[in-house]
Each structure stands twice: as C-alpha cells, then as structure tokens.
Amino acid sequence: MINLLSTGKSWYKRFQYDEDVDKPGDVRNILLIVATLIASVTFQAGVTPPGGVWQDDKDGHRAGQAIYACKFTAYYVFLLANTIAFSTSVLVIISLTCRFPFQLEIIIATISMIVTYGSAIFAVTPNELVKFRFIMFAAGVPFIIRGLIQLFNVIFRSNK
C-alpha cells in the first residue's frame, strides 16, 4: 500500500468495476444494497428532518413542523436534494428488481413508500414555505432523465 501511495498510482483502481472479473449478479446485488441504503437514509431524513420538529405552538410556529424550515433556502435545498436522492434510489431499486419474483409486490411497496415520503414531507413543511409542485418535479427528474435516455437510445439505434 505504501508503494502505491509513493508511486502516484491510484489505490482505488482495484476496487473499480471490471467487466471481465465481476459477475453481473454480484454487481446487481451490490447496487441493490447501496440503493436500498440510500432510500432508507433519505426516507428517514424526510420523515424526521434535521433539527427535528417543533413540539409546541409558540412564537409563530406550529407543533410538528420542521425546525429547519425557518431557514428557507437551506431547507428548500435539503428537500430538493433529499427528494432527488430518494427518487433516484427508488428508480434503481425498481429497475434492478425487474422480472424478479414478487415484482408486483415490490412495486406496490415502493409506491406506498413514495406516498408515505410525500405525505411526511407535506406534514412537516410549513405550507407557505415550499411550492410542492417543485418537490414533485424533483421527484420525477430521475424518471424523466431515464426515460429520455431510453428514448434517445431507441431513436439512435433505429437510425443505424
């Protein structure tokens, strides 16, 4: 290891994906674990935002609303980034479990989780702060990008 550091070679090269060595099933399992971890963390961050929620109705705030929401820009950036990370991980989970046994149940559970996430965000965010159409758009961004990539692949493959 010391030789790698002193010669300037990248130490992480041996951890990178190698199509000749790594099995597709192993790669899919690792991606599922990573996507599930990201979905869990972002879901929890949305349900219990940083700083927690107000416990009382004093000083112009309401019980159950995010304390962090008093910093509008920072909270809005947090909501957008968290929602994009959550929906991207959900897209990866749905994509990697395609044609798995119990796929319908996975999709139903995933949709239920998305609805729960959205309702939790709605519950802890003061109504006057966030335009939820932007949050809903942010949730759709990964799906839109993936759809456009697929569309371009179909168009350019048919032209060859």
Side-chain angles (χ1 to χ4, degrees):
M1 185 66 166
I2 294 174
N3 288 340
L4 287 177
L5 293 174
S6 63
T7 62
K9 293 182 182 178
S10 298
W11 61 270
Y12 60 87
K13 288 280 186 189
R14 68 178 117 172
F15 298 111
Q16 291 179 336
Y17 173 71
D18 185 357
E19 194 172 328
D20 298 329
V21 176
D22 297 322
K23 298 176 187 171
D26 291 343
V27 172
R28 179 175 37 201
N29 290 340
I30 291 169
L31 288 174
L32 272 171
I33 291 169
V34 171
T36 303
L37 179 63
I38 293 169
S40 300
V41 169
T42 55
F43 179 87
Q44 188 62 37
V47 172
T48 47
V53 294
W54 294 107
Q55 301 298 315
D56 54 16
D57 289 329
K58 293 181 184 175
D59 302 326
H61 57 265
R62 291 188 352 203
Q65 290 188 338
I67 295 172
Y68 192 37
C70 65
K71 298 181 180 187
F72 174 72
T73 304
Y75 185 66
Y76 197 65
V77 168
F78 161 75
L79 273 181
L80 287 173
N82 194 61
T83 301
I84 290 171
F86 177 72
S87 61
T88 302
S89 63
V90 166
L91 174 64
V92 170
I93 291 168
I94 290 173
S95 298
L96 291 176
T97 58
C98 185
R99 298 186 183 148
F100 268 31
F102 302 106
Q103 182 183 7
L104 177 63
E105 290 81 356
I106 291 170
I107 291 173
I108 291 170
T110 306
I111 290 171
S112 299
M113 185 173 64
I114 291 169
V115 170
T116 304
Y117 175 81
S119 65
I121 293 286
F122 184 75
V124 300
T125 303
N127 294 335
E128 63 276 0
L129 282 186
V130 176
K131 305 281 190 233
F132 280 98
R133 62 179 171 252
F134 296 126
I135 301 299
M136 296 304 293
F137 178 75
V141 165
F143 294 92
I144 293 168
I145 290 173
R146 176 50 58 191
L148 289 173
I149 290 170
Q150 293 299 108
L151 179 66
F152 288 133
N153 284 337
V154 168
I155 291 172
F156 289 121
R157 282 187 190 154
S158 65
N159 289 340
K160 290 183 179 183

